[in-house]
């Protein structure tokens, strides 16, 4: 079920989502500093709002995932459902780890 290529895709999805949250929040904090806003509060807010976009970026857009789920449900290829769910979980994990690191940096709680 899990080939070497698929496991490589899961690792890539994790780190893409991780990088979107971490990089986007930190670069946004630099922008906040440049315009006179509090950078740590802005970094904290951005990390929470970038999590969903990190998921979308990691799985390559929502259309491919929905098509894969449709194939699994209506055409009986259940392996596509399992792979898509694993990809989404890997991306969610990466986004969550990125938000957790931002939470550690800013010492604030990220609301769900």
């Amino acid at each position: 079920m899990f080939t070497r290529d698929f496991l490589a895709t899961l690792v890539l999805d994790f780190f893409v989502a991780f990088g979107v949250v971490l990089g986007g929040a930190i670069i946004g904090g630099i922008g906040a500093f440049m315009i006179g806003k509090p950078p740590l509060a802005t970094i904290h807010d951005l990390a929470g709002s970038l999590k969903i976009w990190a998921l979308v970026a990691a799985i390559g857009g929502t259309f491919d995932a929905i098509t894969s789920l449709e194939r699994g449900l209506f055409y009986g290829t259940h392996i596509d459902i399992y792979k898509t769910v694993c990809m989404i979980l890997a991306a969610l994990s990466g986004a969550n780890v990125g938000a957790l690191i931002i939470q550690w940096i800013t010492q604030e709680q990220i609301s769900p």
Side-chain angles (χ1 to χ4, degrees):
M1 180 176 155
F2 294 123
T3 63
R4 184 178 174 108
D5 290 336
F6 182 66
L7 291 176
T9 301
L10 292 180
V11 170
L12 188 63
D13 288 344
F14 177 88
F15 282 106
V16 165
F18 175 78
V20 167
V21 171
L22 197 64
I26 290 175
I27 297 297
I30 292 171
F33 175 75
M34 292 174 72
I35 63 170
K37 285 185 149 184
L40 290 180
T42 303
I43 288 171
H44 168 264
D45 294 339
L46 283 174
S49 63
L50 284 175
K51 284 170 67 173
I52 188 67
W53 295 110
L55 174 67
V56 171
I59 62 173
T62 57
F63 187 71
D64 293 336
I66 291 172
T67 303
S68 180
L69 287 173
E70 176 193 13
R71 224 182 2 239
L73 289 173
F74 296 125
Y75 298 115
T77 55
H78 300 296
I79 193 73
D80 288 337
I81 293 175
Y82 299 136
K83 286 184 176 182
T84 303
V85 168
C86 287
M87 288 172 59
I88 290 171
L89 287 176
L92 280 173
S93 298
N96 226 13
V97 169
L100 182 64
I101 289 175
I102 292 296
Q103 181 181 348
W104 287 342
I105 292 171
T106 61
Q107 294 295 308
E108 295 187 32
Q109 295 293 325
I110 295 179
S111 58

